[in-house]
Amino acid sequence: MNESVELHDVQGIIIKGYDKLKAATFLLLEITDSTKTKQWLASQLPMVTHADISTKTITTAVQLAFTYSGVAALNVPAEALKTFPPEFIEGMVTEHRSRMLGDLEDSAPDKWKWGGTEKDFYSIHLLLMLYATDDSTLQHFYTEQKNTLDAAGLKIAYQLETSKLPKEKEHFGFRDGIAQPVMRGINHTSDNEANLIKPGEFLFGYQNEYEKYMFSPTVAPENDPANILPADMNNPLLKDLGRNGSMLVFRQLEQNVKAFWAMAERAAKEQNTHDDPVTPEYIASKMLGRWPNGSPLTKCPMEPDASKETFDNFGYAKHDYDGLKCPIGAHIRRANPRDNFLRDSTGDQEKDIEKSMKFMKRFRIIRRGRSYGAPLVESMEPKDIIQAAEDHKERGLYFLCFNSNIGRQYELIQQTWINNPKFAGLYEDPDPMIGYPGIMGDGATTTFTEQAVPVRKQVRGITRFVNVKGGGYFFMPGLNALKYISSL
Ligand code: HEM
């Protein structure tokens, strides 16, 4: 069954990337007077950008999400609070979760800039996301919004400024924001069947890839006397607070750009021979699985290709099973193994591919991250990044992703694929670009294996290039659910 998505009730950022809204700032807010905040919320409702709108026609957008302490502070009934997903209730910072996500050593929550302490767990309530076409429109919009916060009983705990880097790149110098799942039931077409995913993987209230409805946060009918919320799909006797909402994973990931490229330079020197010249750009692209311009190695293994049609419509099983083009441990191949999820072949390749594609639909995320900090060089070209002097400035990615089951989707990708040294038969190879080498033992360095003929090549001594500096799990409700919360 293809259910159509109620776009007018879904916050826009979940469905659209707001690529044209190049400027953005994220405010982490503390509620100091919940009555005033609920009044403000009610007045904000018409302003919250929904997904049934063309992004071509808007110059600004505003989105709202809550932490668990936030929904509790706004008097969501205790019986309803218990029905939220456990990851959200517990928060990103528990001992177990820090181990699982690799948030240790320099990435340990006690070193975070926000979200890492118990105080922050209880006092960061609301995430207000403001987007605009350019910096000056954003500044204007921000000032307008900021002026309402005092009277709304809201205090800015942290403000996170983003930056849009040239050429749609992230700080290491690679084009970002290419591969994304597309929700079935939206007026989107995709020529890539593997990318069409049931809405329930991202939104509560719809069927997921198990043909089931994710357990959504619910409210007892007596706690919704005005009958604002629809019936829950799993238990129609309850009211669905989650419908058209999603879980948002927010991580501040600091990137050590010079260290990453120094490693690629060293590895290139080690591998370089007269007959087989190797550049740092080649090594780094092998580690990501795409060239800096975004073209995928599986489709163009020898040199980048500029034709964007081929950028996301590919699999690994038929043309690159052994990883000779895109290595098996590359960032994009482990974050989404596509049609090559099952590596224990049954002997029937078509069947393996079909099964892989079906399974993989259960482990997708919608990425909506934004960079922060100035680029090391304006050109964003690897050769210039390598030449540039270390400027010791903070830069990185506000990694944001949406999913309806944090444990099965985001956390599984992070723990079982990105940080797993034994991913797909590898040995001591977590993600070479963003993984946590300490998973192999305190102070350990790791290896990147490039499958090759006649023998594989390896880059050893890989350290950590991406450290976590903040984070939290949020609930981004549908607009109708926002109305309910504001009515409490
Ligand atoms: C600073 C940290 C990170 C950087 C610099 C980074 C960079 C990139 C780049 C350049 C791409 C290829 C372009 C694209 O398809 O959009 C990509 C793809 C991707 N990344 Fe990351 N990433 C980071 C963190 C993460 C994390 C934490 C996750 C999940 C836990 C993740 C999951 C993915 C996924 C799912 C894809 C798409 C794979 C595909 O479908 O082909 N990334 N990333």
Side-chain angles (χ1 to χ4, degrees):
M1 182 177 65
N2 264 356
E3 298 165 296
S4 65
V5 174
E6 294 159 350
L7 292 174
H8 61 277
D9 196 41
V10 180
Q11 296 202 43
I13 186 68
I14 302 172
I15 311 284
K16 316 191 177 220
Y18 294 153
D19 288 344
K20 296 215 162 59
L21 304 179
K22 296 195 183 309
T25 188
F26 303 139
L27 304 178
L28 295 161
L29 304 173
E30 178 180 353
I31 298 170
T32 56
D33 181 331
S34 65
T35 309
K36 286 183 181 165
T37 302
K38 280 181 273 185
Q39 283 162 1
W40 171 85
L41 202 54
S43 71
Q44 284 286 309
L45 287 178
M47 255 75 93
V48 177
T49 315
H50 58 73
D52 195 14
I53 203 165
S54 161
T55 45
K56 289 188 195 115
T57 60
I58 54 173
T59 54
T60 58
V62 53
Q63 316 288 203
L64 278 170
F66 300 91
T67 60
Y68 179 69
S69 303
V71 276
L74 290 174
N75 311 108
V76 168
E79 51 87 14
L81 289 177
K82 288 189 206 143
T83 64
F84 276 95
E87 300 88 353
F88 177 69
I89 296 176
E90 292 164 13
M92 194 177 272
V93 178
T94 66
E95 220 179 295
H96 168 69
R97 190 153 278 121
S98 294
R99 258 185 286 128
M100 195 167 82
L101 300 177
D103 296 348
L104 301 168
E105 300 178 49
D106 286 348
S107 292
D110 61 3
K111 301 203 175 65
W112 289 7
K113 292 178 189 302
W114 60 274
T117 59
E118 197 170 311
K119 179 181 169 289
D120 274 2
F121 179 77
Y122 289 110
S123 62
I124 296 178
H125 294 132
L126 223 151
L127 168 66
L128 180 66
M129 308 165 85
L130 306 177
Y131 295 86
T133 39
D134 52 62
D135 287 341
S136 73
T137 313
L138 181 69
Q139 187 53 45
H140 200 73
F141 189 42
Y142 163 72
T143 311
E144 241 173 59
Q145 293 286 325
K146 193 169 170 274
N147 291 341
T148 69
L149 296 183
D150 241 7
L154 288 166
K155 197 174 107 190
I156 300 181
Y158 300 92
Q159 179 172 4
L160 309 175
E161 313 254 13
T162 75
S163 51
K164 196 89 181 146
L165 305 186
K167 303 182 184 168
E168 297 165 79
K169 290 196 171 182
E170 52 69 46
H171 280 291
F172 288 141
F174 291 90
R175 229 197 100 189
D176 203 1
I178 301 170
Q180 292 285 13
V182 173
M183 274 188 236
R184 279 189 202 280
I186 295 186
N187 197 13
H188 276 164
T189 51
S190 170
D191 51 0
N192 185 355
E193 164 57 33
N195 246 0
L196 282 170
I197 314 287
K198 292 203 169 190
E201 288 296 316
F202 310 107
L203 295 173
F204 294 113
Y206 300 86
Q207 274 197 3
N208 62 18
E209 287 291 340
Y210 292 87
E211 305 198 345
K212 297 231 164 19
Y213 295 93
M214 251 309 287
F215 287 109
S216 188
T218 52
V219 173
E222 61 272 23
N223 286 323
D224 180 19
N227 205 15
I228 296 173
L229 299 171
D232 178 53
M233 298 305 277
N234 282 315
N235 181 353
L237 297 177
L238 296 173
K239 310 304 277 317
D240 190 354
L241 179 60
R243 189 176 180 86
N244 293 317
S246 185
M247 301 311 300
L248 165 61
V249 175
F250 192 147
R251 312 252 292 163
Q252 177 169 349
L253 303 178
E254 192 167 277
Q255 294 173 254
N256 189 338
V257 176
K258 283 304 287 182
F260 175 73
W261 281 102
M263 173 276 301
E265 232 188 332
R266 169 180 60 80
K269 273 193 196 125
E270 282 166 13
Q271 289 190 13
N272 204 11
T273 63
H274 184 67
D275 301 331
D276 189 7
V278 175
T279 63
E281 186 173 329
Y282 173 84
I283 298 275
S285 302
K286 282 277 187 183
M287 290 181 167
L288 175 69
R290 290 184 184 271
W291 295 100
N293 79 343
S295 50
L297 262 71
T298 283
K299 289 213 132 179
C300 34
M302 301 315 290
E303 55 184 11
D305 177 5
S307 59
K308 292 195 176 155
E309 295 75 57
T310 63
F311 270 24
D312 198 29
N313 192 359
F314 64 90
Y316 300 109
K318 278 199 173 153
H319 308 291
D320 195 14
Y321 182 84
D322 295 322
L324 294 174
K325 297 171 185 163
C326 175
I328 286 164
H331 175 63
I332 68 160
R333 190 157 178 172
R334 60 170 74 224
N336 177 10
R338 299 188 179 216
D339 60 350
N340 205 194
F341 178 69
L342 295 173
R343 307 252 339 141
D344 294 328
S345 174
T346 57
D348 180 341
Q349 198 189 35
E350 290 301 332
K351 229 187 211 156
D352 290 347
I353 291 179
E354 197 187 312
K355 261 188 163 176
S356 283
M357 280 170 46
K358 198 165 165 3
F359 277 150
M360 258 320 296
K361 287 175 189 251
R362 298 168 179 172
F363 308 107
R364 300 297 303 276
I365 48 178
I366 297 177
R367 289 173 302 133
R368 294 287 183 240
R370 296 262 166 157
S371 290
Y372 66 91
L376 187 68
V377 293
E378 276 299 318
S379 75
M380 298 307 294
E381 293 302 326
K383 61 176 184 351
D384 299 332
I385 296 179
I386 290 169
Q387 291 291 315
E390 170 66 87
D391 63 359
H392 300 288
K393 288 196 177 142
E394 287 176 13
R395 51 175 62 87
L397 177 72
Y398 290 127
F399 172 84
L400 278 83
C401 78
F402 290 99
N403 47 195
S404 59
N405 187 336
I406 296 176
R408 167 163 62 79
Q409 293 166 278
Y410 163 70
E411 287 185 351
L412 182 136
I413 298 174
Q414 180 75 47
Q415 183 195 14
T416 315
W417 295 343
I418 287 186
N419 281 340
N420 181 3
K422 309 227 173 336
F423 176 80
L426 297 167
Y427 183 62
E428 47 181 21
D429 303 33
D431 190 310
M433 190 181 233
I434 71 158
Y436 166 51
I439 199 87
M440 299 293 298
D442 279 356
T445 58
T446 53
T447 300
F448 170 64
T449 305
E450 189 192 317
Q451 290 74 35
V453 174
V455 283
R456 65 178 188 193
K457 296 176 188 168
Q458 288 195 315
V459 179
R460 294 182 186 277
I462 295 180
T463 54
R464 189 168 197 165
F465 309 115
V466 170
N467 271 299
V468 188
K469 290 294 163 203
Y473 289 146
F474 294 84
F475 168 53
M476 181 173 278
L479 273 72
N480 193 47
L482 276 174
K483 181 173 164 196
Y484 170 77
I485 295 171
S486 73
S487 77
L488 290 168

